[in-house]
Amino acid sequence: STGWSLEQPARNRTSCRFQSERNPIAKLDARSKNSCDPRRPCQVGLTRTEKQLSRPKLLMICGKIASGKSTLAARLAQAPATVLVSEDFWLARLYPGEIATIEDYARCTRRLREAMAPLAADLLRSVSVVLDFQANTPASRAWMRAIFEKAGAAHELHYLRASDAVCKARLGARNARGEHEYRVSEAEFDLFTSHFVEPSADEGFSIVLHDQG
C-alpha cells in the first residue's frame, strides 16, 4: 500500500456487478465498463441509476491476512478521482515498534480510526475513497457504514474469500520477500483469523465477491 494517492484516470477500468436481493454476494464482472467520467458535469439528464453510479463511493475490503486486500486496494484506487487510505501504512509510521500483540493493534487502530473517520467522510463529499482497513468483523463494518452514511456516499464492500491454506501460503511468500510493513507468523494469523466474521446479507452491504479459492 502507498497510503494516500490521488490517481490519474486509467484507460481500462473495471466495474463490478452488484448484489441483488436474492444474491447478496455478487461476483466481479471484469467485462463491463463504467460510463460516467467524474471529471465531467455528468449529473444533467442522467437516469437515477446513472446518478447513483456517479456518486462518490466508499470502497471497503474484507479478507483474512494475506488474502490480497492491499493489492486489491491499490488497483481500486487507480480509478479516477479516488483516494487510497491504508491502515498498515499509517500504523507503521505513527506507531513504529509499538504493535507486537493483537491488543496493541486494537489500541493503535482505535486511535487511527478516530482520526481518519471524519477525514474520510469529508473526502467522500467530492471523491471516492478506498479504505484499506480490515472490514473483518460486524463492528468494524458498522464503523465504516457510519462514515459513508454521514457523507451521503455510495459504497461497495469487496470480500476476498480465501481458505486459511491459501492465505498461509501467500503469507509465507510475503514474509520471505520482506516487503510488507508487518511480518506475521502463522500463530498470529490463526489468532487474528479466530476473530474473522464473514459479511452476511443481514448487514445490508453491497458486496462484491473475489473468490480466491
Side-chain angles (χ1 to χ4, degrees), residues 75-124:
R75 181 166 65 81
L76 293 173
Q78 293 175 6
T82 301
V83 172
L84 171 62
V85 182
S86 167
E87 178 182 37
D88 287 343
F89 178 93
W90 288 108
L91 286 176
R93 285 153 183 82
L94 293 174
Y95 307 104
E98 294 186 37
I99 302 178
T101 68
I102 195 169
E103 291 78 17
D104 293 336
Y105 166 75
R107 170 177 53 82
C108 293
T109 196
R110 182 169 57 250
R111 294 176 181 174
L112 182 61
R113 290 181 181 205
E114 289 173 356
M116 287 297 182
L119 178 60
D122 286 344
L123 287 169
L124 282 167

Side-chain angles (χ1 to χ4, degrees), residues 42-54:
C42 58
Q43 293 293 327
V44 179
L46 294 181
T47 66
R48 181 178 178 182
T49 299
E50 288 170 334
K51 288 180 181 179
Q52 290 174 340
L53 288 173
S54 69

Side-chain angles (χ1 to χ4, degrees), residues 20-196:
S20 67
E21 293 181 358
R22 294 184 180 179
N23 180 20
I25 297 180
K27 290 201 173 182
L28 185 70
D29 183 358
R31 294 171 300 177
S32 61
K33 294 184 178 179
N34 292 333
S35 59
C36 184
D37 186 343
R39 297 169 298 174
R40 301 175 183 174
C42 58
Q43 293 293 327
V44 179
L46 294 181
T47 66
R48 181 178 178 182
T49 299
E50 288 170 334
K51 288 180 181 179
Q52 290 174 340
L53 288 173
S54 69
R55 291 165 58 198
K57 185 181 299 182
L58 183 67
L59 299 107
M60 304 159 286
I61 303 177
C62 173
K64 300 171 186 175
I65 293 172
S67 61
K69 296 188 296 298
S70 294
T71 300
L72 174 62
R75 181 166 65 81
L76 293 173
Q78 293 175 6
T82 301
V83 172
L84 171 62
V85 182
S86 167
E87 178 182 37
D88 287 343
F89 178 93
W90 288 108
L91 286 176
R93 285 153 183 82
L94 293 174
Y95 307 104
E98 294 186 37
I99 302 178
T101 68
I102 195 169
E103 291 78 17
D104 293 336
Y105 166 75
R107 170 177 53 82
C108 293
T109 196
R110 182 169 57 250
R111 294 176 181 174
L112 182 61
R113 290 181 181 205
E114 289 173 356
M116 287 297 182
L119 178 60
D122 286 344
L123 287 169
L124 282 167
R125 293 185 170 90
S126 56
V127 297
S128 292
V129 175
V130 179
L131 194 61
D132 187 13
F133 282 57
Q134 59 84 13
N136 292 348
T137 66
S140 63
R141 293 190 286 268
W143 170 72
M144 295 175 181
R145 175 181 291 280
I147 294 173
F148 70 74
E149 287 185 346
K150 178 180 179 180
H155 78 277
E156 292 173 12
L157 175 59
H158 290 256
Y159 175 28
L160 289 154
R161 186 167 63 191
S163 68
D164 288 0
V166 167
C167 292
K168 285 182 177 180
R170 292 178 177 177
L171 179 61
R174 189 177 84 178
N175 286 340
R177 291 193 302 270
E179 299 170 352
H180 197 270
E181 285 89 351
Y182 296 102
R183 183 182 180 88
V184 179
S185 68
E186 284 200 8
E188 290 168 329
F189 172 91
D190 291 336
L191 178 59
F192 275 86
T193 301
S194 69
H195 296 274
F196 180 86

